[in-house]
C-alpha cells in the first residue's frame, strides 16, 4: 500500500496572489461577436461554467474571449490561458495545453517551463487532486474548440459536460 | 452494554429534555478520533452521510464472525440466526417508525431505490396521461428524476410547489394545484438536505388526501434528524437511507400502507420474491418479500437495527434539539461575517441538520478547500438539488451539517476557517 501523504497541503501555494487577482479581475472576459468557434463547458458537479470564444484565421488564434462563472481556480486558469493564446498558432496552443495538463498531473519540469507564463502560478493545484478538474476546464474548452475548427471550421455552442 | 458506553439508559427518561453530551458521545465514533492535515477532524458533512458508532460496527462484525448465512433458505442453525437477525431488524424498524407491522417494511438499498420502486411499481400501474405528480422545488434529485422518468413513460404531468425567499414551501400554491383534481401522488421531502427546512408534511398530506392523492415522503434526512412516526405524518409511503443515521451504506427502507403495497405489482424478479415458479409464469411471495428479489443486504439490516437502538438510547428529540442549538450558533456566527449569505429559514427551530451559505468573495469550492486544509469537512456544490440552486440564483453553496457528535467547538472551528477564507479572498 502506498504511503498516504497526510502533510498539510500548502494553502498559500494554492492561492497565490496572482490567482486571486485573475479571479477578481478576469482578463479577456466578455463576448467575441466575430468568433469562428465557441464551446460551452460545464462541470456539473460544482457548477463551474466556461464559454470560450475564439477567432481563428489561417490556423492562428487572432482573438479570444470567455464568459465564465465558478471557483477561483477554474476562472483564474481560463483567464491566464487567454492571455497566452492570442497570436499563437493552433499547434503552439496545443503545446501549451499539453504542457499545462502535464503540470496538473505533477510534472515538475512543466511547472518551470516559461511556455506556461503566468499559468505556472497554478502549479500548486496538482497537490489538490479534487481541484485539478477545475484548473483544466478552460483547456478542455480550448481543445474542443480546436477539434471543431479542424473538423469543419464552424461550430454550434451546445453546452457539453467536461470530460472526466 | 460496554462499560465505557456513554449512552444514557434507554426508555422514556432518555428522551427527556436534558441536553445530550456530544463530547462524550463522540467517543462512540472511532473515525472522529483522527487528525486531518494536522488538525483534529471536524466532520460537518453529515447530511451527505453520517459516521458510524462502534455499536454498529461491532454488530456487523459479530454477524460476519458468528452468524453469516443466507436468509429464508436454509434449515440449518446459521441460516436460522441470520434470518432471525434480518427479520428482527425489520420488526425493529416497523416499531420505530410506527408501521402497522413488519409486512409494511420493504428493504431497499436506500431512499433512492425506494422512490424508484414506488415510481415504477405503483406509478406504471396507476398513472396515465393527464394525471399529475406533485413535487417541490426543494427536492433532492432522487425525488425528482424517478418521477420525471415516470412522467415520460405515462404522459403524466409534473407540478411543483415553489419555495419562498426563506426556504419554505409556499403552501398557498397547493390549493390551486389540487383543485384540478388530477394530482395522483405528491412526493415531498420531510426535511430538505440543501436548506435544512422541516416541512409541514402532515398538513400537506391532509390537503393532498382530501383531493384524492397519495403522499410519498422522502425521509432521507427526516428519519436521521428527529425520527419518524409515519402515522402522525399521515403518509402513504415513507422512504429513508440507513447511512444517514449511523448505519452503513447499502441499506434503506420503503414503508408503505399494507393495502397499497399489496395492490402493487412486483418491481424486480428473482429469488425471494416468488411463491411458485412455473415455466411461463410465477406467483408472488407475500409482503414484504414480494418486493425483495435476490439475496438482500443482511448485515446492513442487522446494522440498521443496531443504529436504531443507538439513536433511541440517545433520544431522537434530544438529537434534534442538539442540532438546532448548533444551527442557532452557526446562524448567529455567520450573520456576523461580512459577505456571507445564508439560505433556509432564519429561525433554528424551523430547521434541522445543516446550514447552507455562500460568501461574496469566495466560491463554495474554495471555501471547502480552505476549510479542509484546516481539518474541517463541509460539502460544496449543488447538493443534488439543482432546482434549489436555480431558485436562489447560485451555482452552488457551501453546507455545514451537524449530527449528535458535533460540538459548539466544531462550529467555532468552522468560523475560524471562514476567517482564513476572508484572509485569502477578502470579504
Ligand atoms: C433529502 C434526500 N433525499 C434523498 C437522498 C438520497 O439518498 P440515498 O443516496 O441514500 O439514496 C438524500 C441523500 O443524499 C437526501 O438528502
Amino acid at each position: 500500500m502506498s504511503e498516504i501523504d497526510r502533510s498539510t497541503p500548502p494553502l498559500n501555494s494554492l492561492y497565490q496572489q496572482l490567482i486571486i487577482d485573475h479571479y477578481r479581475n478576469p482578463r479577456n472576459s466578455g463576448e467575441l461577436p466575430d468568433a469562428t468557434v465557441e464551446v460551452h463547458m460545464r462541470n456539473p458537479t460544482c457548477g463551474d461554467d466556461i464559454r470560450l470564444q475564439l477567432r481563428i484565421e489561417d490556423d492562428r488564434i487572432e482573438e479570444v474571449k470567455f464568459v465564465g462563472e465558478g471557483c477561483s481556480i477554474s476562472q483564474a486558469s481560463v483567464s491566464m490561458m487567454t492571455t497566452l493564446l492570442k497570436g499563437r498558432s493552433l499547434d503552439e496552443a496545443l503545446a501549451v495545453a499539453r504542457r499545462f495538463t502535464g503540470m496538473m498531473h505533477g510534472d515538475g519540469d512543466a511547472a518551470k517551463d516559461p511556455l506556461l507564463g503566468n499559468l505556472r502560478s497554478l502549479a500548486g493545484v496538482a497537490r489538490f487532486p479534487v481541484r485539478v478538474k477545475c484548473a483544466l476546464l478552460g483547456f478542455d474548452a480550448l481543445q474542443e474548440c480546436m477539434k471543431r475548427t479542424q473538423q469543419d471550421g464552424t461550430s454550434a455552442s451546445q453546452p457539453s459536460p467536461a470530460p472526466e | 452494554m460496554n462499560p465505557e458506553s456513554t449512552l444514557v439508559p434507554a426508555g422514556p427518561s432518555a428522551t427527556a429534555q436534558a441536553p445530550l453530551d456530544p463530547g462524550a458521545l463522540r467517543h462512540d465514533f472511532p473515525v472522529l478520533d483522527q487528525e486531518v492535515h494536522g488538525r483534529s477532524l471536524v466532520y460537518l458533512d453529515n447530511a451527505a452521510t453520517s459516521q458510524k458508532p462502534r455499536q454498529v460496527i461491532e454488530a456487523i462484525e459479530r454477524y460476519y464472525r458468528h452468524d453469516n448465512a443466507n436468509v429464508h433458505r436454509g434449515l440449518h442453525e446459521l441460516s436460522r440466526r441470520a434470518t432471525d437477525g434480518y427479520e428482527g431488524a425489520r420488526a425493529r424498524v416497523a416499531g420505530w417508525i410506527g408501521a402497522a407491522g413488519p409486512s409494511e417494511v420493504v428493504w431497499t438499498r436506500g431512499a433512492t431505490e425506494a422512490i424508484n420502486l414506488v415510481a415504477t411499481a405503483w406509478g406504471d400501474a396507476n398513472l396515465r396521461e393527464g394525471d399529475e405528480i406533485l413535487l417541490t422545488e426543494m427536492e433532492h434529485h432522487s425525488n425528482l428524476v424517478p418521477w420525471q422518468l415516470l412522467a415520460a413513460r405515462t404522459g403524466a404531468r409534473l407540478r411543483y410547489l415553489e419555495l419562498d425567499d426563506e426556504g419554505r414551501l409556499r403552501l398557498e400554491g397547493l390549493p390551486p394545484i389540487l383543485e384540478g383534481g388530477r394530482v395522483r401522488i405528491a412526493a415531498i421531502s420531510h426535511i430538505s438536505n440543501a436548506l435544512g427546512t422541516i416541512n409541514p408534511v402532515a398538513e400537506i398530506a391532509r390537503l393532498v388526501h382530501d383531493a384524492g392523492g397519495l403522499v410519498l415522503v422522502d425521509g432521507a434526512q427526516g428519519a436521521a434528524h428527529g425520527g419518524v412516526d409515519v402515522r402522525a405524518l399521515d403518509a402513504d409511503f415513507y422512504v429513508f437511507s440507513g447511512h444517514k443515521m449511523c448505519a452503513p451504506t447499502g441499506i434503506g427502507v420503503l414503508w408503505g400502507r399494507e393495502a397499497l403495497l399489496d395492490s402493487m405489482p412486483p418491481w424486480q424478479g428473482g429469488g425471494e420474491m416468488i411463491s411458485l415458479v412455473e415455466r411461463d409464469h410465477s406467483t408472488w411471495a407475500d409482503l414484504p418479500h414480494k418486493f425483495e428479489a435476490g439475496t438482500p443486504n443482511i448485515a446492513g439490516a442487522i446494522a440498521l437495527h443496531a443504529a436504531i437502538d443507538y439513536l433511541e438510547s440517545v433520544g431522537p428529540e434530544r438529537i434534534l434539539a442538539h442540532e438546532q442549538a448548533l444551527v442557532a450558533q452557526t446562524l448567529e456566527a455567520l450573520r456576523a461575517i461580512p459577505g456571507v449569505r445564508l439560505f433556509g429559514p432564519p429561525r433554528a427551530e424551523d430547521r434541522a441538520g445543516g446550514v447552507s451559505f455562500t460568501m461574496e468573495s469566495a466560491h463554495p469550492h474554495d471555501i471547502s478547500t480552505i476549510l479542509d486544509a484546516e481539518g474541517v469537512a463541509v460539502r460544496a456544490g449543488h447538493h443534488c438539488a439543482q432546482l434549489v440552486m436555480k431558485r436562489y440564483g447560485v451555482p452552488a453553496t457551501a453546507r455545514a451539517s451537524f449530527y449528535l457528535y458535533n460540538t459548539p467547538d466544531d462550529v467555532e472551528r468552522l468560523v475560524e476557517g471562514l476567517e482564513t477564507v476572508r484572509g485569502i479572498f477578502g470579504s
Side-chain angles (χ1 to χ4, degrees):
Chain A
M1 232 169 91
S2 67
E3 271 290 298
I4 299 169
D5 181 3
R6 290 180 191 279
S7 64
T8 313
L11 259 194
N12 49 8
S13 83
L14 178 65
Y15 292 116
Q16 305 225 346
Q17 214 41 54
L18 195 57
I19 295 174
I20 308 286
D21 178 50
H22 273 262
Y23 176 50
R24 289 210 187 113
N25 311 297
R27 319 297 199 264
N28 300 308
S29 118
E31 298 287 340
L32 184 60
D34 54 355
T36 56
V37 60
E38 168 175 331
V39 165
H40 189 172
M41 285 246 172
R42 290 184 53 199
N43 184 342
T45 56
C46 57
D48 287 343
D49 189 307
I50 287 170
R51 197 154 52 81
L52 184 68
Q53 299 174 303
L54 302 178
R55 194 175 80 236
I56 297 174
E57 283 164 16
D58 300 332
D59 283 346
R60 193 163 292 277
I61 298 173
E62 297 294 340
E63 188 54 86
V64 48
K65 292 260 191 198
F66 80 100
V67 177
E69 182 176 53
C71 69
S72 64
I73 305 299
S74 68
Q75 302 305 303
S77 169
V78 67
S79 167
M80 292 176 187
M81 178 187 88
T82 60
T83 64
L84 275 186
L85 290 182
K86 243 181 273 189
R88 288 200 193 255
S89 71
L90 293 188
D91 285 345
E92 288 167 340
L94 196 61
V96 172
R98 292 222 171 99
R99 205 69 175 137
F100 184 79
T101 306
M103 184 173 87
M104 285 301 105
H105 295 133
D107 177 348
D109 290 342
K112 295 189 203 102
D113 191 337
L115 177 68
L116 290 183
N118 283 343
L119 285 166
R120 285 172 295 180
S121 64
L122 286 157
V125 177
R127 301 249 345 237
F128 293 78
V130 296
R131 305 300 299 275
V132 166
K133 249 189 336 195
C134 310
L136 289 174
L137 191 62
F139 282 93
D140 290 337
L142 173 66
Q143 282 172 308
E144 183 62 25
C145 278
M146 296 200 288
K147 206 169 94 195
R148 289 189 194 175
T149 301
Q150 272 149 8
Q151 272 163 11
D152 56 16
T154 57
S155 125
S157 123
Q158 283 301 313
S160 38
E164 281 299 310
Chain B
M1 193 180 281
N2 188 307
E4 286 164 21
S5 175
T6 50
L7 300 184
V8 294
S13 63
T15 54
Q17 283 317 304
L20 55 79
D21 178 359
L25 291 171
R26 285 180 78 80
H27 298 304
D28 289 332
F29 293 80
V31 78
L32 296 176
D33 182 21
Q34 66 173 297
E35 294 203 342
V36 167
H37 305 313
R39 302 285 303 271
S40 61
L41 168 65
V42 172
Y43 184 76
L44 300 179
D45 195 16
N46 294 285
T49 198
S50 69
Q51 298 300 347
K52 322 305 173 198
R54 62 185 157 67
Q55 290 84 342
V56 167
I57 298 167
E58 284 162 11
I60 299 167
E61 190 179 349
R62 215 166 31 242
Y63 168 73
Y64 280 120
R65 279 181 180 276
H66 300 289
D67 304 328
N68 177 53
N70 212 328
V71 287
H72 301 304
R73 291 180 189 178
L75 298 174
H76 56 81
E77 171 64 15
L78 291 194
S79 177
R80 185 195 60 75
R81 277 192 232 149
T83 305
D84 283 356
Y86 177 69
E87 292 301 333
R90 195 193 305 273
R92 181 70 169 110
V93 168
W96 188 63
I97 65 175
S103 58
E104 293 188 336
V105 173
V106 176
W107 297 122
T108 64
R109 280 194 296 135
T112 303
E113 189 174 77
I115 295 167
N116 278 280
L117 194 166
V118 174
T120 308
W122 178 84
D124 284 349
N126 287 281
L127 286 203
R128 51 203 108 270
E129 196 166 344
D131 287 340
E132 293 178 352
I133 301 163
L134 177 61
L135 306 170
T136 86
E137 269 186 316
M138 72 161 63
E139 297 314 309
H140 189 282
H141 299 160
S142 291
N143 199 28
L144 292 176
V145 181
W147 304 110
Q148 291 175 343
L149 294 171
L150 173 63
R153 288 195 302 272
T154 58
R157 176 171 170 223
L158 302 175
R159 305 295 302 270
Y160 280 91
L161 261 188
E162 291 177 359
L163 282 165
D164 70 14
D165 290 343
E166 294 184 337
R168 279 179 292 253
L169 293 175
R170 296 177 49 143
L171 294 187
E172 66 271 24
L174 195 50
I177 294 175
L178 293 175
E179 254 163 35
R182 290 171 173 271
V183 172
R184 302 293 313 280
I185 193 164
I188 51 179
S189 47
H190 190 175
I191 294 174
S192 158
N193 66 310
L195 299 165
T197 319
I198 302 176
N199 287 321
V201 170
E203 193 182 336
I204 295 172
R206 186 173 53 76
L207 293 170
V208 174
H209 284 152
D210 287 350
L214 297 178
V215 175
L216 176 142
V217 179
D218 172 359
Q221 299 295 331
H225 305 279
V228 201
D229 179 342
V230 290
R231 261 188 238 133
L233 289 179
D234 199 22
D236 300 291
F237 299 106
Y238 192 96
V239 306
F240 60 98
S241 296
H243 70 93
K244 311 235 190 222
M245 47 180 284
C246 296
T249 51
I251 187 74
V253 168
L254 162 65
W255 168 82
R257 291 183 191 275
E258 184 162 357
L260 260 176
L261 292 177
D262 223 14
S263 73
M264 286 157 52
W267 182 44
Q268 294 179 330
E272 300 284 342
M273 55 77 69
I274 42 78
S275 173
L276 291 172
V277 175
E278 316 259 359
R279 274 177 183 266
D280 52 6
H281 73 282
S282 301
T283 53
W284 315 134
D286 289 338
L287 288 179
H289 306 287
K290 180 170 90 178
F291 294 109
E292 294 176 352
T295 299
N297 183 353
I298 305 162
I302 289 168
L304 179 57
H305 187 164
I308 291 173
D309 286 350
Y310 183 83
L311 294 173
E312 273 297 294
S313 67
V314 180
E317 294 94 343
R318 292 167 80 220
I319 295 172
L320 182 60
H322 170 69
E323 287 172 14
Q324 288 175 332
L326 295 175
V327 167
Q329 182 192 350
T330 307
L331 292 175
E332 193 185 327
L334 266 56
R335 275 186 194 120
I337 301 176
V340 166
R341 176 177 172 197
L342 292 162
F343 299 83
R347 295 183 334 159
E349 308 90 271
D350 300 329
R351 43 200 292 169
V355 176
S356 260
F357 63 96
T358 54
M359 293 174 89
E360 214 167 280
S361 62
H363 188 275
H365 257 187
D366 293 312
I367 297 171
S368 175
T369 293
I370 292 167
L371 291 174
D372 180 56
E374 301 197 351
V376 179
V378 300
R379 181 82 174 263
H382 54 54
H383 315 293
C384 297
Q386 290 186 12
L387 298 187
V388 173
M389 301 299 116
K390 201 166 172 196
R391 167 64 178 79
Y392 296 111
V394 290
T397 70
R399 180 188 68 193
S401 56
F402 307 108
Y403 214 14
L404 53 128
Y405 36 71
N406 290 118
T407 65
D409 285 347
D410 291 349
V411 177
E412 278 173 30
R413 287 273 303 278
L414 167 70
V415 172
E416 196 187 300
L418 297 181
E419 287 307 322
T420 310
V421 175
R422 290 184 65 213
I424 293 171
F425 282 90
S427 49

